[in-house]
């Protein structure tokens, strides 16, 4: 049976394509709705649409969706930053919800950086333009195929653990996403890979880096992957003798370098895979050398990985 995803757009999003196109782009709401219908069709999902400039109307619509939809995408507009009533409604209806923002709210005014609804959502996607809605559809699709266990590290790093069928211990793949350490690119990039590999008998830990600094950049060092290492070593259902690191783009560089350090930490990955890895840029080489000298690469050599 196909999936039903409801999309809610909040205040002023009826003016998409007209309002501040330098920030929100030229795609109109009507065009976005057509795109969403097509994106839903690509994963076998039916999409329904709702837009309102009124908080009460949005909350009433949320209540009507309880038990009637499999997933929800919501762009609450300015309600994001102050509507506790909307946050309570999202929590009450108990629908897996992805919060979407077209612009990079972490690089705008300080008040836009705070969301009061995010805790009621399973994922927040921002700064990817209107294609953020596509990523939201994909995340809900893959979440339905294999609901992950979210695991939080000691210092705030987080990841999605998916276990295959059977008792284990399972061979395990640590997935390191790309995005050039920019905070708007998160672990949902590798949702599809994580679900597919779990279906083939591998445990997958889709790892995300430490919480971004103000401005949205991750404080990335190779040390951040140590939390994934500690998690795997602590679980009896994961086989540390059958371990591999798989990274995409910037995560490809991290997978190659982290494999060397994991050997020092007690468990040697059998394999490190770099997919379209960013491994030849001078800035990456500087990062690696700084880490090997015992320095913090994010602070010492790479402006794109440091606090703005």
């Amino acid at each position: 049976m196909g999936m039903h995803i409801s999309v809610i757009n909040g205040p002023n999003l009826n003016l998409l394509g007209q309002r501040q196109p330098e920030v929100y782009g030229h795609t109109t709401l009507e065009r976005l709705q057509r795109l969403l219908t097509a994106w839903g069709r690509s994963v076998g999902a039916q999409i329904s649409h709702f837009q309102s400039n009124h908080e009460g109307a949005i909350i009433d619509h949320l209540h009507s969706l309880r038990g009637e939809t499999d997933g929800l995408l919501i762009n609450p507009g300015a309600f994001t930053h102050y509507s506790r009533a909307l946050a309570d409604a999202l929590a009450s209806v108990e629908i897996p919800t992805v919060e979407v923002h077209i612009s990079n709210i972490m690089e705008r005014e300080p008040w836009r950086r705070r969301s009061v609804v995010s805790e009621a959502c399973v994922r927040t996607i921002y700064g990817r333009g209107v294609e953020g809605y596509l990523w939201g559809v994909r995340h809900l699709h893959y979440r339905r195929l294999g609901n992950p266990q979210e695991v939080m590290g000691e210092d705030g790093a987080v990841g999605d653990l998916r276990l295959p069928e059977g008792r284990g211990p399972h061979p395990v793949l640590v997935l390191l996403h790309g995005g050039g350490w920019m905070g708007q690119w998160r672990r949902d990039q590798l949702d599809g890979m994580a679900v597919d590999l779990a279906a083939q008998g591998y445990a997958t830990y889709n790892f995300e880096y430490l919480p971004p600094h103000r401005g949205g950049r991750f404080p990335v060092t190779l040390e951040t992957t140590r939390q994934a290492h500690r998690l795997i070593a602590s679980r009896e259902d994961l086989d540390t003798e059958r371990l591999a690191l798989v990274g995409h783009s910037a995560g490809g560089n991290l997978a190659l370098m982290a494999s060397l350090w994991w050997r020092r930490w007690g468990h040697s990955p059998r394999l490190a895979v770099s997919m379209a890895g960013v491994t030849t840029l001078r800035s990456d080489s500087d990062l690696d050398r700084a880490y090997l000298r015992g320095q913090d690469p994010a602070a010492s050599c790479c402006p794109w990985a440091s606090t703005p």
Side-chain angles (χ1 to χ4, degrees):
M1 184 175 179
M3 185 180 191
H4 177 222
I5 297 175
S6 300
V7 180
I8 297 177
N9 281 294
N12 300 309
L13 287 160
N14 56 306
L15 298 179
L16 276 177
Q18 305 171 47
R19 174 187 173 223
Q20 294 180 273
E22 71 279 5
V23 175
Y24 301 105
H26 295 274
T27 302
T28 64
L29 180 61
E30 181 182 4
R31 170 64 174 161
L32 174 59
Q33 291 174 344
R34 292 199 301 270
L35 288 171
L36 275 162
T37 298
W39 291 335
R41 192 180 303 120
S42 70
V43 295
Q46 177 187 355
I47 307 292
S48 62
H49 306 280
F50 180 82
Q51 189 277 327
S52 177
N53 296 321
H54 305 284
E55 183 180 32
I58 293 174
I59 292 172
D60 287 343
H61 184 68
L62 276 172
H63 291 173
S64 74
L65 294 174
R66 188 174 187 181
E68 300 296 325
T69 193
D70 301 303
L72 175 66
L73 292 182
I74 186 167
N75 184 339
F79 293 147
T80 300
H81 314 293
Y82 65 86
S83 179
R84 292 289 180 182
L86 180 57
D88 286 347
L90 288 169
S92 298
V93 297
E94 298 181 325
I95 301 169
T97 300
V98 175
E99 174 188 5
V100 179
H101 300 284
I102 294 171
S103 68
N104 188 340
I105 56 175
M106 296 300 292
E107 293 185 348
R108 299 184 65 190
E109 304 94 321
W111 61 270
R112 293 188 189 272
R113 300 171 190 162
R114 180 172 178 267
S115 170
V116 301
V117 304
S118 60
E119 289 187 3
C121 300
V122 297
R123 191 70 80 243
T124 296
I125 294 174
Y126 64 88
R128 306 185 196 177
V130 294
E131 287 192 358
Y133 290 84
L134 168 60
W135 287 100
V137 168
R138 287 175 173 171
H139 177 73
L140 291 171
H141 167 69
Y142 289 124
R143 190 177 189 86
R144 193 184 193 208
L145 290 179
N147 196 24
Q149 174 188 351
E150 187 174 271
V151 181
M152 185 72 70
E154 297 174 3
D155 298 323
V158 65
D160 294 330
L161 180 64
R162 290 176 170 89
L163 298 175
E165 295 182 1
R167 295 180 58 185
H170 306 289
V172 57
L173 301 177
V174 177
L175 306 182
L176 301 168
H177 67 81
W181 318 135
M182 302 302 295
Q184 65 265 40
W185 294 105
R186 304 291 183 105
R187 65 190 188 275
D188 64 280
Q189 285 184 312
L190 299 183
D191 280 344
M193 179 181 295
V195 169
D196 183 66
L197 289 169
Q200 296 184 47
Y202 298 94
T204 60
Y205 185 50
N206 191 7
F207 182 66
E208 192 163 286
Y209 313 119
L210 294 172
H213 290 304
R214 178 181 293 181
R217 298 175 187 268
F218 286 114
V220 172
T221 70
L222 296 174
E223 184 71 18
T224 63
T225 67
R226 192 164 193 171
Q227 293 194 40
H229 176 270
R230 289 170 180 161
L231 168 74
I232 292 168
S234 70
R235 296 185 61 113
E236 294 183 356
D237 53 356
L238 300 180
D239 187 352
T240 57
E241 299 302 317
R242 294 183 293 167
L243 168 68
L245 303 178
V246 180
H248 172 252
S249 187
N253 179 57
L254 192 58
L256 296 177
M257 294 304 300
S259 66
L260 302 176
W261 283 86
W262 279 39
R263 291 182 175 90
R264 298 189 180 191
W265 298 334
H267 298 98
S268 299
R270 286 194 177 186
L271 186 66
V273 179
S274 175
M275 302 182 299
V278 182
T279 58
T280 58
L281 294 181
R282 180 177 179 181
S283 55
D284 276 4
S285 298
D286 290 343
L287 185 152
D288 300 335
R289 284 195 293 270
Y291 190 82
L292 293 172
R293 290 196 300 268
Q295 300 174 0
D296 180 352
S300 63
C301 64
C302 303
W304 42 265
S306 60
T307 306

